[in-house]
Amino acid sequence: MQRINLLSPRLANQIAAGEVVERPASVVKELLENSLDAGATQLDIEVEQGGVRRIKIRDNGTGIVKEDLSLALSRHATSKIVTLDDLEAVRTLGFRGEALASISSVSRMHLTSLAQDEAEAWRVEAEGKEMNTAIRPASHPQGTTIDVRDLFFNTPARRKFLRTEKTEFSHLEEVVKRLALSRYDVGFRLSHNSKQVYDLRPVTDQLHAEHRLASLLGKKFIENSLTIDVEAAGLRLWGWIGLPTFSRSQADLQYFFVNGRVVKDKLVGHAVRQAYRDVLYNGRHPTFVLYLELDPATVDVNVHPTKHEVRFRDGRLVHDFLFSRIHKAIADVRPEAEGERSNASAWLPSDAESQEPVIAEQEALPLMSQRPSAGSDWMKPSRAVDSAQITSQLNGMRQLSDYAQHYTENQYEEVDPETGEVRIVEGDVSFENDASFGVKTRSDTSFEVREGGYQAIPPLGFAVAQLHGVYILSESESGMILVDMHAAHERIVYERMKQSFYDKTIASQPLLVPINVSVSQSEADLVEENGDVFLAFGFKVERTGLESVMVREVPIILIKADVENLVRDVVSDLAANGVSDLIEARANELMATMSCHGAVRANRKLTIAEMNSLLRDMEITERSGQCNHGRPTWTQMTMSDLDKLFLRGR
């Protein structure tokens, strides 16, 4: 057996480089983070051959004084932390003091810097050898330039693992993109093989921030996103979340930043997926650019060499905060009245023309600019329409019988005998479901008429016709709207079922024969510690032994479910994420199936009154832009779109 030897500085740095410097993109990440920590407001990145041949980064930060240049290339040398207290509340992107030493050990590196308030710049060179370096005067403006050439020239085995030039540059470009998204107040220039890729100027206002987002992520993301900015419990979440209809087949448009640091965290991912669960099509991924700000002392960034992962002191608080705020923002997506825009739309670049409606919570509607003609379909004499009952026998975990909807609409003209003013009184529509399930809702959508005219056309307008028994054609103030009546009604019924189910105490049923579930000791501990998770949804689960738990009660809606496997899945979810929503998800899946069967079917003829009732309910229903399966429920074509289609004005 060989004797224990002390590693040489060069070999130690090369070993460390295996963790820090994976590819050219890793070099760019570390160097740019150092520049940002130095207070730079402009970063210029020049790359050759995907970064393998050369990476040159110049910043205008505070620079490095002459006495510290050699030390800067040593391992564990940093100006960012001094004591343990600094490590427990890291406010900088870098802090390990390994980056420059690791990079210089596997490349030919030249570092030139002029420190703030210094009269002369200095340069230090390292070429993968021992860490003894020579310093000499140089010409340079305030800031630092680092020139990295021939990456892995002295470790050929590492170089063989690099991919093609195009692939390596795509990874490098992604790093620049993430950092540009993290700091809008900093300018970024990126060129590859002398060809400019990005020239992003510093921005300080929302309009130009949207321009940067459009440059980096595409205009479509801005056109199909909502802004969010909320605070609670010492946490602030702000940024952009994509509309459910703007989902992706891959999770490639998801950026999450914690105190300015881009991270990929399982807890964060779980919270976002849970928030989008009811509105995404199967297999699709949401899009977002989100920023979480919290006390640095409550998050540990020192858990991974590349600093891509973090650990929250109170993970459950963070998870619940993220889920509840994103979930609410998505729930508030409803058709908007003409002239009402979300905060995000106010930031849109002037040349951005969205094909999807930007939707926000409905506010009070203004008066209509013109009085409708007396012959309008929605101004019919008094009438009452009773629709046929829709009955569907459901095969679920709980049998629901006589599941039906009853439409009732009263609509009439009321004439003031003294002034002759005609008032249009909209009636109401009621959906009645199985009383045993507790779902019985009523929506009164009467419109107030003010002196001097009528109230404005509602966001989804008024129905004109039904197309092939499937779509509702509506005329809105801005153009034409098409609604998938089954998908829209499915969402309305589903949301009402959920509201009724969760607003009251969930009914449970004791099991005649309790179910014993064998688990590990750690899983039994989780059940004991998280009993409230089960009780919240009507489960009564008790620990009965070192490695066993007993299910004594289950919610009625899940009485025929595979209870044992459901409990095991919940425990696994708790172990992996610290939280679990599987019981709620299973209940929601059942209610979604029920609402799908109970929604109005295609080829069923609706009257104008019934169609208008459906439109009004869509305007007040959460998540009405998507059905339970994530499909869009409506789309629109503005008059501008129609004019372009028919070449009007040309």
Side-chain angles (χ1 to χ4, degrees):
M1 185 174 181
Q2 293 186 356
R3 300 286 300 276
I4 297 175
N5 299 305
L6 187 66
L7 294 175
S8 67
R10 176 188 178 188
L11 184 56
N13 285 329
Q14 289 177 335
I15 293 174
E19 295 181 339
V20 179
V21 185
E22 179 186 0
R23 59 192 345 144
S26 308
V27 174
V28 172
K29 173 184 179 295
E30 298 292 343
L31 298 183
L32 290 181
E33 287 182 346
N34 281 344
S35 295
L36 292 173
D37 287 340
T41 58
Q42 180 62 49
L43 296 169
D44 298 328
I45 308 107
E46 300 176 22
V47 178
E48 295 179 11
Q49 296 181 12
V52 179
R53 179 73 181 90
R54 188 185 190 191
I55 297 172
K56 182 181 179 181
I57 296 178
R58 170 175 287 189
D59 68 53
N60 62 348
T62 56
I64 305 172
V65 299
K66 175 186 177 182
E67 292 77 14
D68 290 348
L69 281 177
S70 294
L71 189 60
L73 302 184
S74 302
R75 288 192 70 199
H76 308 307
T78 180
S79 61
K80 302 171 185 179
I81 61 171
V82 178
T83 66
L84 180 60
D85 291 339
D86 298 329
L87 183 61
E88 292 180 347
V90 174
R91 299 178 184 274
T92 54
L93 296 175
F95 54 88
R96 295 173 182 267
E98 296 180 346
L100 292 180
S102 298
I103 295 168
S104 64
S105 69
V106 291
S107 68
R108 296 184 172 94
M109 188 174 80
H110 299 170
L111 188 157
T112 307
S113 186
L114 174 61
Q116 192 174 12
D117 301 327
E118 293 286 329
E120 190 175 13
W122 297 88
R123 178 175 180 174
V124 62
E125 299 179 1
E127 296 193 0
K129 300 179 181 178
E130 299 297 333
M131 301 315 293
N132 298 324
T133 55
I135 301 176
R136 59 180 180 176
S139 176
H140 195 277
Q142 180 182 320
T144 303
T145 295
I146 299 183
D147 197 346
V148 178
R149 297 173 182 264
D150 301 328
L151 188 62
F152 300 136
F153 79 98
N154 56 352
T155 52
R158 294 286 305 281
R159 191 157 185 165
K160 290 179 181 179
F161 282 92
L162 296 179
R163 303 302 182 184
T164 64
E165 177 180 326
K166 181 180 179 181
T167 300
E168 292 301 334
F169 179 72
S170 68
H171 286 285
L172 189 152
E173 182 184 5
E174 182 65 19
V175 167
V176 176
K177 183 186 298 184
R178 291 174 181 173
L179 290 172
L181 290 173
S182 73
R183 292 290 299 273
Y184 294 96
D185 58 329
V186 177
F188 290 81
R189 292 193 192 98
L190 172 64
S191 64
H192 184 216
N193 295 333
S194 301
K195 181 180 179 180
Q196 182 171 287
V197 180
Y198 292 129
D199 185 3
L200 307 172
R201 299 179 181 179
V203 298
T204 57
D205 61 82
Q206 296 176 340
L207 174 63
H208 291 92
E210 294 266 359
H211 273 290
R212 176 175 287 196
L213 273 175
S215 298
L216 296 171
L217 305 181
K219 188 184 297 184
K220 285 295 182 182
F221 174 74
I222 300 301
E223 294 172 351
N224 294 277
S225 63
L226 304 167
T227 57
I228 183 171
D229 192 344
V230 290
E231 292 186 64
L235 306 171
R236 181 194 177 200
L237 180 69
W238 64 277
W240 297 262
I241 57 174
L243 293 171
T245 48
F246 188 68
S247 60
R248 309 272 289 187
S249 60
Q250 304 177 64
D252 59 346
L253 217 168
Q254 299 181 348
Y255 297 90
F256 194 89
F257 302 85
V258 176
N259 291 343
R261 182 191 307 277
V262 61
V263 301
K264 291 185 177 180
D265 186 83
K266 289 193 301 182
L267 182 143
V268 168
H270 184 273
V272 175
R273 286 194 304 273
Q274 184 181 354
Y276 274 90
R277 180 182 58 208
D278 262 1
V279 290
L280 277 190
Y281 196 73
N282 185 39
R284 304 290 291 183
H285 299 271
T287 60
F288 55 85
V289 179
L290 290 172
Y291 304 83
L292 177 65
E293 298 175 2
L294 70 168
D295 184 350
T298 64
V299 55
D300 183 8
V301 300
N302 188 29
V303 296
H304 194 275
T306 60
K307 303 182 286 292
H308 277 156
E309 298 177 10
V310 295
R311 182 183 296 115
F312 298 101
R313 177 181 296 176
D314 191 343
R316 186 162 188 173
L317 172 67
V318 173
H319 180 281
D320 292 347
F321 173 73
L322 295 176
F323 163 72
S324 62
R325 296 311 187 267
I326 298 173
H327 184 264
K328 183 180 186 302
I330 297 171
D332 287 341
V333 173
R334 303 172 193 176
E336 64 172 351
E338 181 69 12
E340 296 174 9
R341 307 293 289 176
S342 67
N343 292 335
S345 63
W347 301 6
L348 278 173
S350 58
D351 60 344
E353 296 183 0
S354 175
Q355 296 300 317
E356 293 288 340
V358 182
I359 32 192
E361 186 170 356
Q362 184 181 351
E363 299 175 359
L365 300 174
L367 294 176
M368 291 201 311
S369 57
Q370 294 182 342
R371 176 173 173 168
S373 63
S376 298
D377 285 335
W378 58 280
M379 296 178 64
K380 299 295 183 184
S382 176
R383 66 186 177 189
V385 180
D386 295 323
S387 67
Q389 186 181 59
I390 303 173
T391 304
S392 178
Q393 189 71 21
L394 299 178
N395 294 321
M397 299 173 185
R398 178 173 180 238
Q399 192 71 26
L400 295 183
S401 61
D402 299 328
Y403 185 76
Q405 284 79 33
H406 303 279
Y407 295 82
T408 302
E409 175 90 353
N410 294 302
Q411 193 174 59
Y412 56 89
E413 292 182 348
E414 180 181 271
V415 182
D416 189 313
E418 295 182 3
T419 64
E421 180 182 1
V422 179
R423 299 176 183 272
I424 304 303
V425 180
E426 282 274 324
D428 54 56
V429 61
S430 63
F431 295 87
E432 296 185 7
N433 300 322
D434 185 357
S436 65
F437 190 76
V439 181
K440 185 175 181 180
T441 57
R442 185 178 183 88
S443 172
D444 188 349
T445 56
S446 60
F447 290 98
E448 176 188 359
V449 182
R450 304 175 186 176
E451 183 179 354
Y454 290 84
Q455 199 174 24
I457 297 175
L460 289 179
F462 291 103
V464 175
Q466 187 179 20
L467 304 180
H468 297 285
V470 178
Y471 301 104
I472 296 172
L473 175 61
S474 172
E475 180 182 357
S476 69
E477 195 165 2
S478 61
M480 177 184 76
I481 289 176
L482 277 176
V483 175
D484 182 330
M485 66 180 195
H486 172 75
H489 192 206
E490 182 181 0
R491 170 58 68 177
I492 292 169
V493 175
Y494 178 42
E495 290 299 326
R496 289 174 175 174
M497 291 180 75
K498 286 197 301 181
Q499 182 177 1
S500 177
F501 181 67
Y502 294 119
D503 279 354
K504 67 180 183 179
T505 303
I506 298 175
S508 298
Q509 178 173 318
L511 295 175
L512 184 62
V513 179
I515 300 173
N516 186 67
V517 182
S518 298
V519 295
S520 67
Q521 183 176 346
S522 61
E523 290 174 333
D525 292 339
L526 281 173
V527 171
E528 193 170 20
E529 294 167 4
N530 294 275
D532 57 328
V533 173
F534 293 94
L535 284 174
F537 291 95
F539 274 90
K540 185 176 181 181
V541 185
E542 299 175 350
R543 185 171 188 171
T544 55
L546 191 64
E547 297 181 340
S548 65
V549 297
M550 186 76 74
V551 183
R552 299 190 182 278
E553 293 183 14
V554 297
I556 293 176
I557 197 171
L558 297 177
I559 194 67
K560 293 186 179 180
D562 187 341
V563 175
E564 180 174 346
N565 280 336
L566 179 57
V567 170
R568 292 187 187 278
D569 290 343
V570 171
V571 173
S572 297
D573 209 21
L574 287 169
N577 302 299
V579 293
S580 178
D581 66 325
L582 288 180
I583 299 176
E584 179 182 2
R586 201 65 57 85
N588 286 351
E589 287 174 7
L590 178 60
M591 286 186 283
T593 300
M594 295 174 180
S595 62
C596 183
H597 283 279
V600 61
R601 291 297 182 183
N603 298 318
R604 181 190 181 279
K605 298 298 182 182
L606 301 181
T607 66
I608 293 294
E610 290 173 327
M611 289 186 276
N612 279 323
S613 296
L614 184 61
L615 297 179
R616 300 294 77 79
D617 277 330
M618 288 177 65
E619 291 162 355
I620 61 174
T621 300
E622 294 182 345
R623 307 172 190 86
S624 61
Q626 297 80 36
C627 75
N628 309 344
H629 311 292
R631 295 190 296 106
T633 59
W634 67 283
T635 187
Q636 73 171 347
M637 291 189 72
T638 64
M639 290 302 297
S640 176
D641 296 329
L642 293 171
D643 288 345
K644 290 178 182 178
L645 183 64
F646 291 100
L647 305 180
R648 288 181 60 87
R650 296 191 183 181

